[in-house]
Amino acid sequence: MKKLINKLLVNHSLIYKLFLYIATIILVVYLFPKGGQFKYEFQKGKPWQYENYYAPFDFAIQKTETEIENEKQQITQNSKHFFEYNEEIVERVKNEVTQKSTEVFQNSELSQEEKLDLNTRITTILATIYQYGYIEASSESKIEKAAITLRKGNKIEEIQPYKLFTSSQILNFLNSKIGTQPYTEAQNQLLNILYDAIKPNVSFDEVFTQKTLEENLNKISYTKGLVSENERIILKGDIVEGENLRVLNSIKNEFESQIWSKSNYNWIVFGYTILVALAFLMLFLFLRKYRLDIFENNNKVTFIFFNIILIVLLITIIVKYDAQYVYVAPIVILPLVLKAFFDARLGLFSHVLTVLLLGFIVPNSFEFIFLQIIAGIVTILTISELYKRANLFISVLQITFVYFIAYFAFSIIQEGNASNLNWEKFLYFALNGAATLFVLPLIYIFERLFGLISDESLKELSNTNSKLLRELAEKAPGTFQHSLQVANLAEASANEIHANAMLVRTGALYHDIGKMDNPMYFTENQSTNVNPHNELTPRDSAHIIINHIIKGVELAKKHHLPDRIIDFIRTHHGTSLVYYFYKKEEEYTGEDVDESYFQYPGPIPFSKETAILMMCDAVEAASKSIKEPTAQAFDALVEKIVNKQMEDGQFMNADITFKELQIIKKVLKKKLKNIYHLRIEYPE
């Protein structure tokens, strides 16, 4: 049991990668569509490149989107507009007119014959107006056709629009029917009563009209014709167009949408699993062969897999909602992010693998894959300095332009001309470019989530005009100059062994910021012959020197420096001794001295970059003590310091090889000679 536990602990990194590998495969396969895939690729206007193809089963021929859309437009144009006839309003108007006209007749001096005549006219007026109805003014604009449909309860009647009374006709009609002018007082009263009482009773029935339209649209058949099993669909060499294209699209959709049995479903999942597993295995092999430092860092591997899953998830959501918006998704953010944190080659490789996986999800997979791979290549080639916003904007414009050109080319190949371009696609590409600009805040978020630091952030931090470095230059100018020299040495060394030069340079600039607390206790800042250590015991002096590590870490955290920069502050002396004061304490006491009082707290360097800084820091500081700067003196100094650090086990955790150490030694020797080379003496 103990052996098993020990093996698990020893191989915990490999076990985690295996778990990540399996979990990613399961998640990606889960996101994939589970329908079948049509095994033939074809394009409109191109020859059928396979053998004669016969129908494997019965299926219906589907109408094209254009045909369905035209049919919908035809139904919409011919759809009836329904107007509702309100009987209650008619009864209300009749009762009101009858009541008020009776009161007028009672108070008038009209003869019985005149009253009967006016009453007959009123009845005729109301009957005429409400035979078909009086339409509301707001509904008049809905009369768009030669005939309208009037709905009276459960009865429906087609009538001519002119048969309906409008508000502009009512007054003239009343005047013409009530009698000849001049009117008597009774006639005027009756006219006013009618005008006030008569109300519109016909209105546009939008709910019923829309309901009827939807019912008619739902009756549309999406298929026309049937292809029987074993019926020939297309011959080898035939051009894929017209009826051939329609039938091939129909059977392709049938393959992708048919309900699969449990057995078929399992086989499809199994096939997807193999392909996805191969894709991610290629990514692991790439990292193992070309980016071993990333492969051995589980946090970085997790970050790469997380970004790939994020892109797959985004495209899956878009396809499920509406596949036409698939080009709005800013897929080129993936290579941008990976290039920002790692390098261009890894970014492009991951992008290509991801796009190949997305080919299983999106429609028109060949077009999609081609466009996205081209866009990814342009992204890698054009965006060099992401932290410069102007560069990002220009590159995004170039990427969008490439999308435009590539899509235009695909369209004219498929359609045979440029008249059928889908202009909406160009809008989608423009939105894609705008969304790509979100990469900058996304990089910032990833830095916080995964504890990574991008080259863009390193470039910002390495700016010597930053607040903390300006403060260092003011309070400890000697330390600042020392840090600049160390940064140059470290950057040159890192470049030679292909380490992260920007990271080690930035770490070198900040590694001694703790000296700002007591700058005069460090030799490089002492401008006079007065040495404050003369007043202290060796142990106290060593405590002040060692304390610059702790003070540096505290100051870095206060200014929110990334952990990877703080690592350089913590490790640049490892667990070495403050040797000068250690030997001074031995001379002072004449006894064996406890080394723990004179030892830096560590930890020792745990990466190539932190190991480089330790060597460069020690060599640069010691080079100031050489009285006669000769090539032999510098060679001996570098060998002595680096070999001593190796003997003390300072590089045990740094994953740096002997070959790389020898290369770094050569760089340091060369650089020191260049820095301290003797100038010729000018004549006076």
Side-chain angles (χ1 to χ4, degrees):
M1 188 64 181
K2 286 184 178 179
K3 289 183 178 180
L4 178 61
I5 293 173
N6 287 336
K7 282 186 177 180
L8 291 175
L9 291 174
V10 170
N11 298 305
H12 71 280
S13 180
L14 185 60
I15 293 170
Y16 174 79
K17 289 184 180 67
L18 183 61
F19 169 78
L20 180 65
Y21 178 65
I22 294 171
T24 305
I25 292 170
I26 293 171
L27 182 57
V28 171
V29 171
Y30 173 77
L31 293 173
F32 276 5
K34 301 304 186 296
Q37 294 287 331
F38 191 54
K39 61 182 179 180
Y40 301 109
E41 285 285 341
F42 58 89
Q43 283 185 299
K44 180 181 177 181
K46 296 290 183 181
W48 179 256
Q49 299 175 346
Y50 310 97
E51 296 298 325
N52 299 347
Y53 186 50
Y54 298 87
F57 46 74
D58 296 341
F59 66 93
I61 301 173
Q62 297 177 352
K63 294 178 182 176
T64 64
E65 290 184 5
T66 304
E67 288 175 329
I68 294 171
E69 191 60 35
N70 290 338
E71 200 168 331
K72 286 181 178 179
Q73 289 179 2
Q74 191 69 25
I75 289 172
T76 302
Q77 290 172 1
N78 297 330
S79 179
K80 294 179 179 179
H81 280 194
F82 288 88
F83 291 79
E84 184 180 11
Y85 184 97
N86 195 322
E87 293 280 3
E88 292 182 4
I89 293 176
V90 177
E91 290 301 319
R92 228 174 17 245
V93 170
K94 287 181 178 180
N95 291 336
E96 183 180 347
V97 170
T98 301
Q99 180 183 350
K100 291 184 177 180
S101 62
T102 302
E103 293 176 0
V104 171
F105 289 148
Q106 288 176 350
N107 298 326
S108 70
E109 297 178 353
L110 295 172
S111 66
Q112 192 65 28
E113 289 182 1
E114 289 175 329
K115 290 179 181 179
L116 286 172
D117 180 53
L118 287 173
N119 196 46
T120 301
R121 291 185 185 185
I122 290 170
T123 304
T124 302
I125 287 170
L126 293 176
T128 303
I129 290 174
Y130 288 116
Q131 180 182 1
Y132 296 107
Y134 171 16
I135 190 169
E136 291 179 345
S138 60
S139 297
E140 291 178 20
S141 61
K142 301 295 182 181
I143 301 175
E144 301 173 348
K145 302 179 181 179
I148 63 172
T149 307
L150 194 62
R151 192 165 66 89
K152 292 184 179 181
N154 295 326
K155 295 181 180 179
I156 292 177
E157 183 180 0
E158 295 281 341
I159 65 169
Q160 301 300 315
Y162 71 85
K163 293 184 177 181
L164 294 174
F165 276 85
T166 64
S167 56
S168 61
Q169 298 171 334
I170 289 295
L171 184 58
N172 291 333
F173 178 74
L174 292 177
N175 286 330
S176 66
K177 295 296 181 182
I178 202 68
T180 57
Q181 297 184 11
Y183 294 143
T184 63
E185 183 180 348
Q187 286 177 311
N188 278 325
Q189 288 178 342
L190 290 174
L191 189 62
N192 290 333
I193 288 170
L194 285 169
Y195 193 74
D196 290 339
I198 291 174
K199 298 288 188 295
N201 75 315
V202 174
S203 60
F204 178 63
D205 193 344
E206 187 171 0
V207 174
F208 194 80
T209 300
Q210 189 62 32
K211 180 181 177 182
T212 304
L213 175 60
E214 288 176 0
E215 288 176 355
N216 292 333
L217 290 175
N218 290 334
K219 292 177 183 177
I220 292 177
S221 173
Y222 288 83
T223 62
K224 61 174 185 180
L226 182 71
V227 176
S228 303
E229 185 178 355
N230 296 324
E231 184 178 336
R232 190 183 69 203
I233 295 176
I234 191 169
L235 292 173
K236 183 177 181 179
D238 281 358
I239 303 300
V240 179
E241 60 182 359
E243 189 64 21
N244 287 341
L245 178 62
R246 186 178 295 111
V247 175
L248 286 171
N249 281 326
S250 299
I251 193 169
K252 180 181 179 182
N253 292 334
E254 190 70 24
F255 264 98
E256 294 174 351
S257 64
Q258 63 181 289
I259 300 172
W260 292 84
S261 66
K262 186 176 181 181
S263 173
N264 285 337
Y265 178 87
N266 292 337
W267 278 110
I268 290 170
V269 171
F270 179 65
Y272 275 148
T273 303
I274 293 175
L275 293 174
V276 174
L278 281 173
F280 284 111
L281 180 61
M282 295 304 103
L283 181 56
F284 267 124
L285 292 176
F286 178 87
L287 294 174
R288 181 72 179 81
K289 184 171 179 62
Y290 297 107
R291 293 307 307 269
L292 187 61
D293 57 323
I294 297 176
F295 178 79
E296 292 176 348
N297 189 318
N298 286 338
N299 184 49
K300 292 180 180 178
V301 174
T302 304
F303 173 72
I304 295 169
F305 275 64
F306 173 81
N307 276 276
I308 293 174
I309 292 171
L310 207 61
I311 295 296
V312 174
L313 178 62
L314 175 64
I315 295 299
T316 303
I317 292 171
I318 291 175
V319 169
K320 285 185 177 179
Y321 174 71
D322 193 338
Q324 69 172 330
Y325 297 119
V326 74
Y327 286 113
V328 177
I331 295 178
V332 293
I333 278 183
L334 176 64
L336 274 178
V337 168
L338 296 184
K339 182 182 179 183
F341 286 106
F342 307 117
D343 61 68
R345 185 166 57 168
L346 175 58
L348 182 59
F349 188 85
S350 301
H351 176 71
V352 170
L353 282 181
T354 305
V355 170
L356 290 175
L357 290 175
L358 294 177
F360 293 110
I361 302 175
V362 299
N364 299 324
S365 56
F366 177 76
E367 174 187 310
F368 178 86
I369 291 172
F370 184 88
L371 288 177
Q372 297 298 352
I373 289 179
I374 291 295
I377 293 171
V378 173
T379 301
I380 292 297
L381 294 178
T382 58
I383 298 184
S384 56
E385 295 176 315
L386 194 60
Y387 73 101
K388 292 183 179 179
R389 286 173 293 181
N391 286 358
L392 179 60
F393 275 103
I394 293 170
S395 297
V396 166
L397 289 175
Q398 291 173 332
I399 294 165
T400 306
F401 180 72
V402 168
Y403 271 129
F404 287 171
I405 295 299
Y407 172 69
F408 174 78
F410 258 103
S411 294
I412 60 176
I413 288 172
Q414 293 171 355
E415 301 294 337
N417 56 63
S419 60
N420 294 322
L421 286 175
N422 184 352
W423 294 102
E424 285 187 0
K425 287 280 182 70
F426 292 96
L427 174 61
Y428 299 156
F429 293 134
L431 292 174
N432 183 314
T436 303
L437 297 175
F438 185 69
V439 68
L440 290 177
L442 193 63
I443 286 174
Y444 177 80
I445 292 169
F446 284 149
E447 284 180 337
R448 296 296 177 268
L449 285 178
F450 290 90
L452 298 172
I453 182 167
S454 65
D455 284 349
E456 285 63 46
S457 295
L458 290 175
K459 287 174 182 176
E460 290 179 7
L461 288 170
S462 62
N463 186 346
T464 53
N465 287 319
S466 65
K467 181 180 177 182
L468 194 54
L469 291 180
R470 282 204 316 269
E471 189 178 349
L472 177 63
E474 291 170 4
K475 291 184 177 180
T479 300
F480 179 70
Q481 292 302 321
H482 160 72
S483 298
L484 288 176
Q485 293 281 32
V486 172
N488 292 332
L489 292 173
E491 184 178 22
S493 301
N495 281 325
E496 287 298 318
I497 66 169
H498 306 293
N500 191 331
M502 181 57 68
L503 176 62
V504 73
R505 176 178 179 80
T506 308
L509 289 173
Y510 289 91
H511 79 282
D512 269 345
I513 57 174
K515 292 181 179 180
M516 283 192 289
D517 191 51
N518 289 302
M520 295 308 296
Y521 284 89
F522 299 90
T523 310
E524 65 268 22
N525 298 310
Q526 294 170 0
S527 57
T528 64
N529 293 327
V530 178
N531 189 340
H533 287 289
N534 294 336
E535 307 296 326
L536 302 174
T537 64
R539 186 173 292 189
D540 290 337
S541 294
H543 176 73
I544 292 173
I545 298 298
I546 292 170
N547 206 42
H548 87 275
I549 300 292
I550 299 169
K551 292 291 183 182
V553 171
E554 291 175 353
L555 196 59
K557 289 183 176 179
K558 180 182 176 182
H559 285 79
H560 306 292
L561 292 183
D563 288 340
R564 291 183 70 187
I565 300 303
I566 296 175
D567 288 340
F568 287 93
I569 300 173
R570 294 165 55 227
T571 62
H572 72 275
H573 285 298
T575 55
S576 60
L577 294 176
V578 185
Y579 196 72
Y580 177 82
F581 291 110
Y582 171 73
K583 297 304 290 183
K584 196 172 181 181
E585 178 73 3
E586 277 189 340
E587 295 173 4
Y588 181 74
T589 60
E591 301 174 357
D592 291 335
V593 177
D594 185 356
E595 291 185 356
S596 62
Y597 289 107
F598 297 88
Q599 191 174 33
Y600 285 99
I604 60 175
F606 45 77
S607 66
K608 290 180 182 179
E609 288 78 15
T610 50
I612 289 170
L613 179 61
M614 172 180 272
M615 288 181 268
C616 295
D617 179 49
V619 167
E620 202 284 330
S623 66
K624 301 287 181 61
S625 64
I626 296 179
K627 295 178 181 178
E628 295 182 9
T630 62
Q632 293 78 9
F634 287 132
D635 290 349
L637 176 70
V638 171
E639 290 289 344
K640 177 183 175 183
I641 290 176
V642 175
N643 290 341
K644 181 67 168 62
Q645 290 172 337
M646 290 172 61
E647 290 171 8
D648 291 342
Q650 298 296 322
F651 306 138
M652 291 291 290
N653 298 334
D655 188 29
I656 192 167
T657 64
F658 283 109
K659 181 179 179 180
E660 288 169 336
L661 287 171
Q662 295 303 318
I663 293 172
I664 292 169
K665 285 181 184 179
K666 289 180 181 178
V667 173
L668 292 176
K669 292 172 184 177
K670 180 181 177 181
K671 287 290 180 181
L672 288 176
K673 292 170 189 174
N674 291 339
I675 293 170
Y676 294 102
H677 73 281
L678 294 176
R679 294 181 179 272
I680 60 170
E681 186 176 347
Y682 288 92
E684 295 184 6

